[in-house]
Amino acid sequence: MGNICSRSSNEPEAFSGPGRVVGASPSSPSAAPRAPLPAKNWKNTPGRTLGDSRDTQGGADEARSNAAIAAQKRAEEASSNKGKLGSKLAAQKAKTQTQTLGEVSQDERAARDADGAEEARRWQ
């Protein structure tokens, strides 16, 4: 009986070895495919210096100012071309909280009056 249950005749435990992908053959672990390395060796290039270098910042400052001017023109054009919905939105934003609450209150009173009139008509 001892030979039937001995460890030497049984297969090794399932989680005792390294893991593998489902469907891969258990006998030969294959290496994952790798992307090719870039042709140029970037380690030997000097790179850019950070900071206040005058010769490289001239173009960047000009581009930044041109972008700011273009953004300002777009904002001015968008604010002048509001259209119907834009003008309604601007009017709604211009209202104070008291005005908005007054309008809501007036709408609620009108709805209650309409409900009361309907109820009175049903009892006749």
Side-chain angles (χ1 to χ4, degrees):
M1 289 248 345
N3 290 338
I4 294 174
C5 299
S6 68
R7 288 217 177 257
S8 61
S9 64
N10 294 338
E11 295 180 9
E13 292 188 22
F15 299 110
S16 64
R20 65 177 196 271
V21 180
V22 175
S25 63
S27 61
S28 63
S30 62
R34 292 182 52 174
L37 295 175
K40 187 173 181 183
N41 188 357
W42 292 100
K43 293 179 184 176
N44 296 334
T45 58
R48 297 186 319 197
T49 57
L50 299 176
D52 228 10
S53 116
R54 302 281 180 216
D55 54 4
T56 60
Q57 290 292 330
D61 288 339
E62 185 178 327
R64 187 177 298 133
S65 64
N66 289 342
I69 292 169
Q72 186 174 5
K73 285 181 183 179
R74 283 193 305 270
E76 289 172 357
E77 185 178 317
S79 66
S80 66
N81 267 349
K82 289 183 182 179
K84 184 178 179 181
L85 289 176
S87 60
K88 283 184 178 181
L89 179 63
Q92 193 175 26
K93 283 183 177 180
K95 290 181 186 176
T96 62
Q97 183 179 8
T98 308
Q99 290 171 337
T100 305
L101 290 176
E103 286 182 3
V104 171
S105 176
Q106 187 177 7
D107 291 344
E108 289 294 322
R109 271 191 241 121
R112 277 194 308 243
D113 290 344
D115 290 343
E118 178 65 28
E119 191 175 326
R121 271 188 245 126
R122 277 190 266 147
W123 282 101
Q124 286 183 357

